[in-house]
Amino acid sequence: MALMISELEQTAAEATARLADVADLDALAALDAEFLGKKSALTTAKKQLGGLDPDERKAAGQAVNEIRKRVEAEIADARARLTATARAQQLEAERLDLTELRNDIRRGSMHLVTQSRDRLEDVFVGMGFTVAEGPEVETAWYNFEALNIPEWHPARGSFDTIFVNLGEPEEVMLRSHTSPVQIRTMENTEPPIYIVAPGRTFRTDTADATHLPAFNQIEGLVIDRGITMGDLAGTIDEFVRAFFGGEVKTRLRPSYFPFTEPSAEFDISRPDGSWLELGGCGMVHPNVLRNCGIDPEEWQGFAFGFGIDRLAVMRYQLDDIRELVNNDVRFLRQF
Amino acid sequence: MKVTLSWLREFAPDIDGDPVELGEILSALGLAVEEMEIIGDIVDGVVLAKVLDLRPHPDADKIQLVDVDSGDGKPLQVCCGAFNMAVGDLIPFATIGTTMPNGMEIAQREMRGQTSNGMCCSGAEIGFGDDHDGILILNDRVVDGAAIGAPLGEALGVQADVLWDLEVNANRPDAMSVAGVARDLAAALGVPFSFPSYDPPRSDESAADLLDVEIADPSLCGRFVATVLRNVTVGTSPAWIQNRLTQLGMRPINSIVDISNYVMLELGQPNHTFDLATIPNGRLRVRRAGEGETLTTLDGVERTLTAIDGVIADDSDQVVSLAGVMGGASTEISESTTDVLLEMAWWDPPSISRTVKRLNLPSEASTRFRRGADWGDNIDRAMQRFIQLATEQGAVAVTGQIDVAGTVPDRAPVRVRPTKVNGLLGTDLTAADMAGHLVSIGFDATEVDGDLDVIVPTWRWDAATETDIAEEVARMYGYANIVRTVPKGEAAGGLSEYQQARRLVREVLLGAGCDETLPMPFLAPGDLRSAGLPEDGVTLTNPLVHEESVLRTSLLPGQLKAIAYNQSHRSADVAFFEIDHVYLPSPEGQLLPDEREFLAVALAGEEAPAAVAVLDLLERALALPNVQLKPATPPGLHATRTAEVIIAGRTRGYVGEVDPTVLENYGVDGRVAWLELDLGEVLNGPHGSRKYTPISKYPSSDIDLAFEVSDSVAAGQVATSLRKGGGKLLQDVELFDVYRGAGLPEGTRSLAYRLRFQAPDHTLTDAEVAEARQSCIDTVAKQQKATLRG
């Protein structure tokens, strides 16, 4: 029996030597079969243990088991080593330069004017307003007359209106403000009314770095019981703080618009303490309310308006407003 | 309107303070300061000089040599680039060592070999007016006894002053004058305001004996006042008048025109002078023009008049003046004029406005009449002021004036309810507070039973209602003092369903890699034709440029222009979308065009399927029901690669490619995949409805079918037939292969579909699947004349 054990020790030493050189998992599987399989010396020796007398069998059994465990452990080590190497080789083979594919999926850019408009809408929606829209080609009634600007009024000239070849001369025009939307809303809706009306407006301004003949404005209109000029000033203040930041201050200065009275310009403060004129506002003129079938003794309200494009120009310090209509991707994709 | 501090002080001597703070107060009164400037502060070293000799520079054409006397009587040589001087002229001269307002230091210089010992100055260079053209000639501008070499300020009689350029709103005719601005500012500062009294000498002759005026149309003219000045010489005005006109931006012309402008600027009353010799019998008649009557105005233009124009006619009813707008050439003051008929009137603002607009003839005078001048005492005051200034220059005024009345605005007291005013402003003012504010600017306010009876002054034509008066109260109380509140309304804000869906569309397209574009909606004539579209766009009657004179009826031209622009700037394969208005021809019986909101997607360098893929994204994002594509040949698009987009049975647009001829017309390289939808109709139509179906627990069966299909049959039609044939068990249809070529007849292709069948409540039997499969094959064969491939 001692001979058998010493042969097994020899076999184990051979296994150790060959495992050190094993090249891959397939070769390892072959070694596994050779040294631990059914026909291996270790398996055969275990079967032969039954023929020994009990005293000898115990000592021999322990020795065979010890050798087998050692070989098993060595094979497991080799398997772990080979598996790690194989995985490392696979990973190395799959190496990618991830910067090669960077621009495959590109999100488009939302136009700056839309971004500004959406932001404004969202702020006003948060303040309880809905968003009203209307046509860009309008009649003199909606663009002027209903707004208390009769045909002879000097203010008409200041709008530099673009007219179109429909109806009588100067009867149909490209709207010079979004105020016609206010009129249409008041005609079709019972107060209370809380709307903002964003949209494109038109003037006979030759396109240059600071002007476009077609540009975008947003106007607000509130009609309710007991609305005061204090509410107007407070609403503008609340909007400006929400949109520009809490540190920005507002002020109202007397001005004149035929459709509001009292009328005001509203300014916002710059960081250096100076004031920037942002837009116009005022209490809706009783004639305008009457023109829309609203009793000015029962309802009062205010309106305000300012440019959307200008906000985009200010925010990004654009040096040429025409970029907003050129649609050059080198511009569009910056935002 | 420009005003100077010194001039304001002639009406309110106590106006004082920091110019910036005074400017803030003016702005808070609604007289926004557009610009503030310290003027007349002529820098040390600039003196009055006299031109002694002028001669060419021997080696330069653009400059000449000037000898000036700068005070010591000796000629001093200067090189000068201006050529408007004559020998003997008085000019401003910057001596060596002077630091000019722009920071330049004057030093002795060599210019092409000649020494220059100072600089002859233009008005702008020394901060005296805006004139950059040539050297300022001062021959008639210096005060009496001014010595050559005297500091220029002293020689011109100017002192440092503050100039404000104010933006005056259309409802403030009163503030179109120095006196009117002084009234407001004095009230705000709480200092006294008054008019100086003018009492010029008069001759024994009586205006009533010399003039005869009739107002034939009282609706045109509220008041017409006239008198006569004799012994008038038309010369140059005294320096102080010229200086003030220059400061306020007017160019001195001659003594009579200058007085006319001076009085207008000072008191806001426009006025007109006729050469009395050209007015037979001193008779004038105010009336409307007859249609087609003509008048040559003093700018030499013959004007054809209409019945809306107000005119002044003479004894023979010949029109001699366009009332309130421009005088006639035949009665104009000339060098030979000795007797002047001086007229001041109040004209109906709408009448003046219509004529100014019709003839495009704005002027300082008509601007004041259009806003509503003063028909009250101010006319008499302005008459006196004019006569005073004229008589100071030697004219002789006759006694009295003709004063004829037409229809003036009603000035009955306006009942003002303090509760209404407070309710409008959000203030808590007493009736007495309000009255105090109103009285401070010349309104009359009396308390009656807790209300106020307010008489609006004649210089505030525009202010005639309770609301107008509330505005005046707010203005004088101060907008800044109004306590800020927010409306107590409980309205819930929000975007409409349409607006939310539109934002979703935008997000989907951004996610698809398209950049949003917003071209202006104008097209050039011919743009629509170049895009293969009918030329039925609305046209602008007063376009700025010819290239922007038509309103688009499609987003196609604008997108193609944008693509061509980018391609010409080396950005080839752009992907754009646009959501914006188009303006279709007005429907029968409707004045306004049929304005719609369209969506366009333009993919440069892509073929039609790319546009279909975008449509597919939108279909899923919006849950559009039953989207069908049907081959179509709309104008402007590719005849064999375009389909009508039918949503829930209605045509909503087109998808495919742009016609290669159109691309060529627009200079676009390569293909452009195109999608245009009537977004308004799409979003106002059915969409967004999604229903839950429980997921079947039973296995599904997939079957592949390939058909030989004629090229004339759309794959979409085959899929529709498959769905019909497959019935309820058919869960999904996917086109997974398209093949053309060997083994297939010409004009056909193979379309291979994978069909997935599944039942909600049991495992399908082989027989059920076979039956559904056969039904699919039969339906496709019957409806699409397509055969199953072996």
Side-chain angles (χ1 to χ4, degrees), chain A residues 105-111 113-114 117-119 121-122 124-125 127-139 151-157 161-168 170-172 174 184 194 200 202-207 212-214 222 224 226-235 237-238 250-256 260-265 275 277 283 285-286 296-300 302 323-330 332-333, chain B residues 24 27-32 167 169-171 349-351 353-354 357 370-371 417 420 422-427 461-462 465-471 474-475 479-480 482-496 498-499 502-503 506-507 509-522 537-545 548 551-552 558 562 565-566 569 571 573-578 580-581 583 586 591-593 595 597:
Chain A
I105 301 177
R106 196 194 138 263
R107 183 181 156 86
S109 288
M110 192 186 286
H111 195 279
V113 169
T114 312
R117 177 179 158 158
D118 282 2
R119 272 190 75 216
E121 286 178 359
D122 292 345
F124 282 114
V125 161
M127 290 168 66
F129 287 74
T130 55
V131 179
E133 298 175 59
E136 293 172 4
V137 185
E138 273 290 9
T139 60
E151 144 277 316
W152 57 267
H153 201 286
R156 275 215 190 180
T161 315
I162 301 176
F163 296 96
V164 301
N165 66 334
L166 296 171
E168 300 292 313
E170 306 204 350
E171 186 182 3
V172 183
L174 303 182
R184 288 178 180 275
Y194 289 78
R200 185 186 278 121
F202 303 84
R203 301 269 165 103
T204 54
D205 275 340
T206 305
L212 287 174
V222 168
D224 206 341
I227 295 291
T228 70
M229 198 166 165
D231 292 333
L232 165 63
T235 299
D237 202 51
E238 185 174 295
T250 60
R251 73 171 183 190
L252 267 51
R253 285 182 289 112
S255 187
Y256 171 72
T260 51
E261 187 153 39
S263 299
E265 304 277 358
W275 294 93
E277 185 177 317
M283 301 302 291
H285 197 288
E297 286 296 308
E298 184 179 357
W299 303 96
Q300 279 179 183
F302 60 76
E323 292 295 0
L324 294 178
V325 295
N326 281 348
N327 301 303
D328 188 324
V329 287
R330 294 169 298 176
L332 297 175
R333 290 182 182 169
Chain B
E24 291 288 326
S27 288
L29 286 164
L31 305 169
E167 183 190 352
N169 292 309
N171 65 333
S351 299
S353 278
R354 290 184 181 114
K357 192 180 163 209
R370 290 177 75 180
R371 294 171 179 211
R417 297 162 293 174
K420 181 74 180 168
N422 282 324
L424 186 68
L425 303 181
T427 49
W461 175 71
D462 191 79
T465 66
E466 186 180 50
T467 319
D468 296 328
I469 290 161
E471 180 174 57
R475 210 166 59 81
Y479 282 14
I482 292 173
V483 176
R484 294 172 182 200
T485 49
V486 285
K488 291 159 198 72
E490 286 159 15
L495 296 179
S496 67
Y498 180 95
Q499 289 157 347
R502 184 174 54 197
R503 285 196 180 187
R506 208 176 268 131
E507 282 303 323
L509 296 171
L510 291 171
C514 302
D515 293 313
E516 188 186 17
T517 55
L518 282 178
M520 287 201 287
F522 310 120
V538 174
T539 58
L540 312 186
T541 50
N542 56 335
L544 283 154
V545 284
E548 295 174 357
L551 292 181
R552 63 187 172 200
Y565 174 89
N566 280 287
H569 290 81
S571 303
D573 293 342
V574 293
F576 284 157
F577 80 94
E578 179 183 3
D580 215 338
H581 289 216
Y583 319 82
S586 307
L591 186 57
L592 293 180
E595 206 169 318
E597 187 157 69

Side-chain angles (χ1 to χ4, degrees), chain B residues 289-311:
Chain B
E291 283 293 336
E293 246 184 318
T294 59
L295 168 70
T296 302
T297 43
L298 44 76
D299 53 5
V301 179
E302 189 185 80
R303 314 274 177 184
T304 303
L305 308 177
T306 72
I308 64 163
D309 301 317
V311 296

Side-chain angles (χ1 to χ4, degrees), chain B residues 221-493:
Chain B
C221 180
R223 193 178 167 198
F224 191 105
V225 178
T227 193
V228 168
L229 289 160
R230 293 200 187 278
N231 200 30
V232 170
T233 47
V234 180
T236 53
S237 300
W240 67 273
I241 289 185
Q242 294 194 47
N243 289 343
R244 280 208 160 149
L245 293 178
T246 307
Q247 286 167 349
L248 268 62
M250 283 193 137
R251 203 182 265 259
I253 309 279
N254 65 46
S255 51
I256 293 299
V257 175
D258 291 352
I259 293 174
S260 172
N261 285 332
Y262 189 97
V263 170
M264 177 179 68
L265 293 174
E266 181 173 66
L267 299 172
Q269 175 61 49
N271 49 81
H272 187 65
T273 51
F274 298 86
D275 184 338
L276 184 63
T278 66
I279 308 290
N281 305 321
R283 273 212 81 210
L284 293 175
R285 188 160 176 270
V286 175
R287 62 170 171 84
R288 301 274 175 181
E291 283 293 336
E293 246 184 318
T294 59
L295 168 70
T296 302
T297 43
L298 44 76
D299 53 5
V301 179
E302 189 185 80
R303 314 274 177 184
T304 303
L305 308 177
T306 72
I308 64 163
D309 301 317
V311 296
I312 302 173
D314 67 8
D315 199 18
S316 56
D317 214 28
Q318 278 292 311
V319 178
V320 296
S321 179
L322 200 48
V325 177
M326 192 179 269
S330 67
T331 55
E332 191 183 358
I333 304 292
S334 69
E335 302 266 314
S336 61
T337 300
T338 56
D339 296 332
V340 166
L341 189 165
L342 170 63
E343 167 246 306
M344 298 192 191
W346 187 85
W347 303 105
D348 174 53
S351 299
I352 300 297
S353 278
R354 290 184 181 114
T355 299
V356 167
K357 192 180 163 209
R358 190 178 71 75
L359 297 173
N360 189 24
L361 258 182
S363 68
E364 288 280 342
S366 66
T367 299
R368 287 167 172 80
F369 286 130
R370 290 177 75 180
R371 294 171 179 211
D374 188 346
W375 63 89
D377 296 344
N378 200 50
I379 290 185
D380 307 273
R381 186 179 302 120
M383 287 296 278
Q384 288 286 72
R385 180 61 161 155
F386 192 115
I387 290 164
Q388 181 209 30
L389 293 173
T391 52
E392 279 175 5
Q393 293 177 52
V396 175
V398 304
T399 296
Q401 60 192 23
I402 296 288
D403 190 345
V404 188
T407 308
V408 294
D410 179 27
R411 277 300 180 248
V414 180
R415 180 60 60 94
V416 174
R417 297 162 293 174
T419 49
K420 181 74 180 168
V421 173
N422 282 324
L424 186 68
L425 303 181
T427 49
D428 194 17
L429 300 171
T430 64
D433 292 335
M434 292 181 193
H437 288 307
L438 291 169
V439 167
S440 76
I441 48 170
F443 287 61
D444 188 80
T446 317
E447 267 194 73
V448 182
D449 305 330
D451 291 343
L452 290 173
D453 266 356
V454 175
I455 298 173
V456 175
T458 51
W459 57 86
R460 294 302 302 273
W461 175 71
D462 191 79
T465 66
E466 186 180 50
T467 319
D468 296 328
I469 290 161
E471 180 174 57
E472 293 306 304
V473 170
R475 210 166 59 81
M476 300 317 293
Y477 174 63
Y479 282 14
N481 295 323
I482 292 173
V483 176
R484 294 172 182 200
T485 49
V486 285
K488 291 159 198 72
E490 286 159 15

